[in-house]
Amino acid sequence: MNEDNLLTNMDEEALLQFINNNPGVLEQYLKNQRKVWFYFFNNYQELIPNCFWPVATQQLTSMLPTLALCLLLNCLAFFKVNRFLMNILNIISGLGLVYYHFQELGLLLCLFAVFLYLVVFYTLTAHKSIVLCIAYLTMLITCELLLLDPEVMHQKRALLTLIFMKILSIAFDFESLIKVPSMISQLAYVFHPASIQYGPWISYSQFDEMLHTSRYDIKYFVSIIYGLVLSIVLSVFAFCIADNFLGDLANHWFLEYFVALAFRTGHYSACITSSFYLVAAGIKPPHNELLYPVTYPMAVEVPRSLVDVVTNWNLPMHVWLKNSVFHGLNFQLSAVLLSLGFYTYIEFNFRIQLASHMDACVLSRKCPRDCKHRFKWNHFITILTNIGFVMLAIFHLIYLGMPFTGDEISFSGYNMAHTLERWGTLRYSSHLVAVFTLLLFFSYPPLLYGYLTLLILT
């Protein structure tokens, strides 16, 4: 037994006596406890029964009802079941999942949102989309401020947002058409079980295609198993590995990185889950991918630019959010998204100007092979510059992820004071860097080269 395990297993009296006789051992033990690798390998036997197994079991139990319904719907599509019956099954199974995951209140809120849609869509002759937008914003604000407890609303906000997105998508797509899908078909789209819990948003045409196609090949089953395992692994990493390292990191920046990483990994797990739900229900992923593309974690964790972060965080939602955004009155989420949008705008335009002055492939997006820049992607200066922007993007992500601490407050949503306090611990450094970059954007080229040198050196 080594000295570290010896200290761990001693009773209090023996421990005090051992420390008095061996003063240097305690100092070395405390140093070891700050090492991530030591913490993991010294405590994995406790993490497996106390965290790994419970989290994996809970994740699997949560996914099985939805997965079973998706498999059933794909099977019915294979046997060409009547379209009307398929729509009815979609509605019933979707409402059942809402009740299972969000209880009675979630079900009532969804039904009220749909009732509001039907009243507006089938009574008004013009401006239906605008009226629905105003009605749903009013409903969100009323629920947040007057009707619901903050903790309850925080748990139901994602469900309501997804329902609103689907309903507004129908309203925008079919407002100008004379012949629209039947009410039953629209409700089946809104409550489709594959996307009712975690999303993602899919268009009505994608939903309609799923009802007419089915898949039973090797890739279909491999995709489901792969998505199931990957979702569980990411959940375990988020709640057990990243979370358990937080208290054992001495460096403040590493601490904040793992705080944000735990949140992001939880998001990846939910996205992967929603992806293989859609595959199980019959949607066909791209030919070179196993899952329907919802998120690309590596493009977020090691981004070429913040544009990649915005795009790859949630691909289907990004398509919809180009036109409409619903975040309620959650200051934390709104502040992070607004900051990210501000950063992305600055970086995108700054790199256009920088690429022009340097005549190099340093744009936010990769240049085509036949671009006219003098210094291509493999030139030394280009590589260093792009690496500098990657590091800068990671710095911004650590900072923006700080408010998502995952403590007890998270169940009711974080307020403005919490968000500003967390950013204040790092003296709002990320926002200051963004403002400084904006000033450089409006300055003279020599300052751009100076900033580039600073970027490479850091």
Side-chain angles (χ1 to χ4, degrees), residues 350 354 436 440 443-457:
F350 178 75
L354 193 63
F436 180 64
L440 287 177
S443 66
Y444 294 101
L447 287 179
L448 289 175
Y449 291 114
Y451 182 68
L452 173 62
T453 304
L454 178 64
L455 195 63
I456 293 175
L457 291 176

mmCIF file of all heavy atoms in Angstrom, residues 350 354 436 440 443-457:
data_model
loop_
_atom_site.group_PDB
_atom_site.id
_atom_site.type_symbol
_atom_site.label_atom_id
_atom_site.label_comp_id
_atom_site.label_asym_id
_atom_site.label_seq_id
_atom_site.Cartn_x
_atom_site.Cartn_y
_atom_site.Cartn_z
ATOM 1 N N PHE A 350 -13.224 41.329 -38.503
ATOM 2 C CA PHE A 350 -11.815 41.584 -38.228
ATOM 3 C C PHE A 350 -10.920 40.680 -39.074
ATOM 4 O O PHE A 350 -9.904 41.108 -39.635
ATOM 5 C CB PHE A 350 -11.538 41.371 -36.740
ATOM 6 C CG PHE A 350 -10.101 41.560 -36.352
ATOM 7 C CD1 PHE A 350 -9.549 42.826 -36.263
ATOM 8 C CD2 PHE A 350 -9.296 40.463 -36.070
ATOM 9 C CE1 PHE A 350 -8.220 43.001 -35.903
ATOM 10 C CE2 PHE A 350 -7.973 40.625 -35.716
ATOM 11 C CZ PHE A 350 -7.433 41.895 -35.627
ATOM 12 N N LEU A 354 -8.049 41.455 -41.739
ATOM 13 C CA LEU A 354 -6.726 40.904 -41.500
ATOM 14 C C LEU A 354 -6.248 40.083 -42.701
ATOM 15 O O LEU A 354 -5.082 40.175 -43.123
ATOM 16 C CB LEU A 354 -6.747 40.024 -40.244
ATOM 17 C CG LEU A 354 -5.399 39.608 -39.664
ATOM 18 C CD1 LEU A 354 -4.614 40.826 -39.207
ATOM 19 C CD2 LEU A 354 -5.597 38.645 -38.499
ATOM 20 N N PHE A 436 -11.553 45.496 -27.451
ATOM 21 C CA PHE A 436 -10.244 45.864 -27.979
ATOM 22 C C PHE A 436 -10.121 45.442 -29.449
ATOM 23 O O PHE A 436 -9.591 46.180 -30.294
ATOM 24 C CB PHE A 436 -9.148 45.207 -27.144
ATOM 25 C CG PHE A 436 -7.749 45.511 -27.609
ATOM 26 C CD1 PHE A 436 -7.257 46.809 -27.561
ATOM 27 C CD2 PHE A 436 -6.932 44.506 -28.088
ATOM 28 C CE1 PHE A 436 -5.968 47.098 -27.991
ATOM 29 C CE2 PHE A 436 -5.645 44.773 -28.517
ATOM 30 C CZ PHE A 436 -5.165 46.081 -28.464
ATOM 31 N N LEU A 440 -9.565 47.744 -32.875
ATOM 32 C CA LEU A 440 -8.564 47.471 -33.899
ATOM 33 C C LEU A 440 -9.182 47.392 -35.287
ATOM 34 O O LEU A 440 -8.567 47.764 -36.283
ATOM 35 C CB LEU A 440 -7.841 46.154 -33.591
ATOM 36 C CG LEU A 440 -6.856 46.173 -32.429
ATOM 37 C CD1 LEU A 440 -6.288 44.788 -32.211
ATOM 38 C CD2 LEU A 440 -5.722 47.160 -32.699
ATOM 39 N N SER A 443 -9.246 50.668 -36.697
ATOM 40 C CA SER A 443 -7.984 51.405 -36.622
ATOM 41 C C SER A 443 -7.184 51.206 -37.899
ATOM 42 O O SER A 443 -7.657 50.673 -38.895
ATOM 43 C CB SER A 443 -7.184 50.939 -35.402
ATOM 44 O OG SER A 443 -6.795 49.592 -35.567
ATOM 45 N N TYR A 444 -5.908 51.579 -37.857
ATOM 46 C CA TYR A 444 -5.036 51.510 -39.026
ATOM 47 C C TYR A 444 -4.361 50.142 -39.104
ATOM 48 O O TYR A 444 -4.178 49.468 -38.096
ATOM 49 C CB TYR A 444 -3.963 52.598 -38.934
ATOM 50 C CG TYR A 444 -4.533 53.987 -39.019
ATOM 51 C CD1 TYR A 444 -4.702 54.746 -37.870
ATOM 52 C CD2 TYR A 444 -4.917 54.533 -40.244
ATOM 53 C CE1 TYR A 444 -5.240 56.019 -37.929
ATOM 54 C CE2 TYR A 444 -5.462 55.808 -40.311
ATOM 55 C CZ TYR A 444 -5.607 56.552 -39.152
ATOM 56 O OH TYR A 444 -6.143 57.799 -39.217
ATOM 57 N N PRO A 445 -3.949 49.740 -40.306
ATOM 58 C CA PRO A 445 -3.292 48.441 -40.502
ATOM 59 C C PRO A 445 -2.106 48.161 -39.586
ATOM 60 O O PRO A 445 -1.950 47.030 -39.150
ATOM 61 C CB PRO A 445 -2.871 48.487 -41.980
ATOM 62 C CG PRO A 445 -3.873 49.403 -42.615
ATOM 63 C CD PRO A 445 -4.190 50.442 -41.568
ATOM 64 N N PRO A 446 -1.239 49.146 -39.266
ATOM 65 C CA PRO A 446 -0.125 48.814 -38.369
ATOM 66 C C PRO A 446 -0.576 48.230 -37.041
ATOM 67 O O PRO A 446 0.084 47.352 -36.492
ATOM 68 C CB PRO A 446 0.569 50.181 -38.177
ATOM 69 C CG PRO A 446 0.260 50.933 -39.424
ATOM 70 C CD PRO A 446 -1.129 50.541 -39.783
ATOM 71 N N LEU A 447 -1.696 48.718 -36.525
ATOM 72 C CA LEU A 447 -2.189 48.159 -35.277
ATOM 73 C C LEU A 447 -2.655 46.718 -35.463
ATOM 74 O O LEU A 447 -2.570 45.902 -34.547
ATOM 75 C CB LEU A 447 -3.346 49.012 -34.732
ATOM 76 C CG LEU A 447 -2.944 50.361 -34.137
ATOM 77 C CD1 LEU A 447 -4.192 51.104 -33.668
ATOM 78 C CD2 LEU A 447 -1.986 50.171 -32.971
ATOM 79 N N LEU A 448 -3.137 46.396 -36.647
ATOM 80 C CA LEU A 448 -3.544 45.024 -36.919
ATOM 81 C C LEU A 448 -2.345 44.089 -36.828
ATOM 82 O O LEU A 448 -2.426 43.011 -36.244
ATOM 83 C CB LEU A 448 -4.177 44.927 -38.311
ATOM 84 C CG LEU A 448 -5.552 45.562 -38.502
ATOM 85 C CD1 LEU A 448 -5.953 45.472 -39.979
ATOM 86 C CD2 LEU A 448 -6.581 44.862 -37.648
ATOM 87 N N TYR A 449 -1.230 44.508 -37.399
ATOM 88 C CA TYR A 449 -0.036 43.676 -37.340
ATOM 89 C C TYR A 449 0.482 43.552 -35.901
ATOM 90 O O TYR A 449 0.974 42.505 -35.493
ATOM 91 C CB TYR A 449 1.051 44.250 -38.252
ATOM 92 C CG TYR A 449 0.726 44.132 -39.718
ATOM 93 C CD1 TYR A 449 0.509 45.266 -40.497
ATOM 94 C CD2 TYR A 449 0.611 42.886 -40.323
ATOM 95 C CE1 TYR A 449 0.191 45.165 -41.842
ATOM 96 C CE2 TYR A 449 0.296 42.775 -41.672
ATOM 97 C CZ TYR A 449 0.088 43.909 -42.424
ATOM 98 O OH TYR A 449 -0.229 43.814 -43.746
ATOM 99 N N GLY A 450 0.356 44.610 -35.151
ATOM 100 C CA GLY A 450 0.744 44.552 -33.752
ATOM 101 C C GLY A 450 -0.108 43.576 -32.966
ATOM 102 O O GLY A 450 0.380 42.798 -32.138
ATOM 103 N N TYR A 451 -1.411 43.610 -33.245
ATOM 104 C CA TYR A 451 -2.318 42.686 -32.572
ATOM 105 C C TYR A 451 -2.016 41.242 -32.980
ATOM 106 O O TYR A 451 -2.065 40.327 -32.180
ATOM 107 C CB TYR A 451 -3.743 43.047 -32.915
ATOM 108 C CG TYR A 451 -4.778 42.184 -32.227
ATOM 109 C CD1 TYR A 451 -4.981 42.244 -30.848
ATOM 110 C CD2 TYR A 451 -5.569 41.294 -32.980
ATOM 111 C CE1 TYR A 451 -5.916 41.456 -30.225
ATOM 112 C CE2 TYR A 451 -6.509 40.500 -32.360
ATOM 113 C CZ TYR A 451 -6.682 40.593 -30.991
ATOM 114 O OH TYR A 451 -7.621 39.801 -30.380
ATOM 115 N N LEU A 452 -1.699 41.052 -34.262
ATOM 116 C CA LEU A 452 -1.360 39.709 -34.753
ATOM 117 C C LEU A 452 -0.143 39.182 -34.023
ATOM 118 O O LEU A 452 -0.116 38.011 -33.607
ATOM 119 C CB LEU A 452 -1.096 39.755 -36.254
ATOM 120 C CG LEU A 452 -0.567 38.459 -36.901
ATOM 121 C CD1 LEU A 452 -1.577 37.351 -36.745
ATOM 122 C CD2 LEU A 452 -0.244 38.698 -38.366
ATOM 123 N N THR A 453 0.886 40.016 -33.850
ATOM 124 C CA THR A 453 2.088 39.603 -33.127
ATOM 125 C C THR A 453 1.759 39.209 -31.705
ATOM 126 O O THR A 453 2.225 38.170 -31.195
ATOM 127 C CB THR A 453 3.131 40.751 -33.122
ATOM 128 O OG1 THR A 453 3.403 41.144 -34.467
ATOM 129 C CG2 THR A 453 4.399 40.303 -32.438
ATOM 130 N N LEU A 454 0.917 40.020 -31.041
ATOM 131 C CA LEU A 454 0.498 39.708 -29.661
ATOM 132 C C LEU A 454 -0.255 38.392 -29.620
ATOM 133 O O LEU A 454 -0.065 37.566 -28.723
ATOM 134 C CB LEU A 454 -0.372 40.840 -29.130
ATOM 135 C CG LEU A 454 -0.942 40.668 -27.722
ATOM 136 C CD1 LEU A 454 0.191 40.610 -26.700
ATOM 137 C CD2 LEU A 454 -1.892 41.810 -27.383
ATOM 138 N N LEU A 455 -1.106 38.157 -30.623
ATOM 139 C CA LEU A 455 -1.910 36.949 -30.683
ATOM 140 C C LEU A 455 -1.020 35.717 -30.785
ATOM 141 O O LEU A 455 -1.230 34.704 -30.111
ATOM 142 C CB LEU A 455 -2.859 37.014 -31.878
ATOM 143 C CG LEU A 455 -4.033 36.042 -31.952
ATOM 144 C CD1 LEU A 455 -4.992 36.283 -30.794
ATOM 145 C CD2 LEU A 455 -4.761 36.197 -33.266
ATOM 146 N N ILE A 456 0.023 35.810 -31.641
ATOM 147 C CA ILE A 456 0.923 34.672 -31.833
ATOM 148 C C ILE A 456 1.744 34.411 -30.574
ATOM 149 O O ILE A 456 1.928 33.263 -30.147
ATOM 150 C CB ILE A 456 1.839 34.938 -33.044
ATOM 151 C CG1 ILE A 456 1.011 34.967 -34.336
ATOM 152 C CG2 ILE A 456 2.928 33.890 -33.135
ATOM 153 C CD1 ILE A 456 1.797 35.350 -35.568
ATOM 154 N N LEU A 457 2.207 35.483 -29.938
ATOM 155 C CA LEU A 457 3.047 35.324 -28.758
ATOM 156 C C LEU A 457 2.290 34.741 -27.576
ATOM 157 O O LEU A 457 2.855 34.040 -26.746
ATOM 158 C CB LEU A 457 3.655 36.680 -28.370
ATOM 159 C CG LEU A 457 4.706 37.238 -29.334
ATOM 160 C CD1 LEU A 457 5.139 38.620 -28.874
ATOM 161 C CD2 LEU A 457 5.900 36.314 -29.458
#
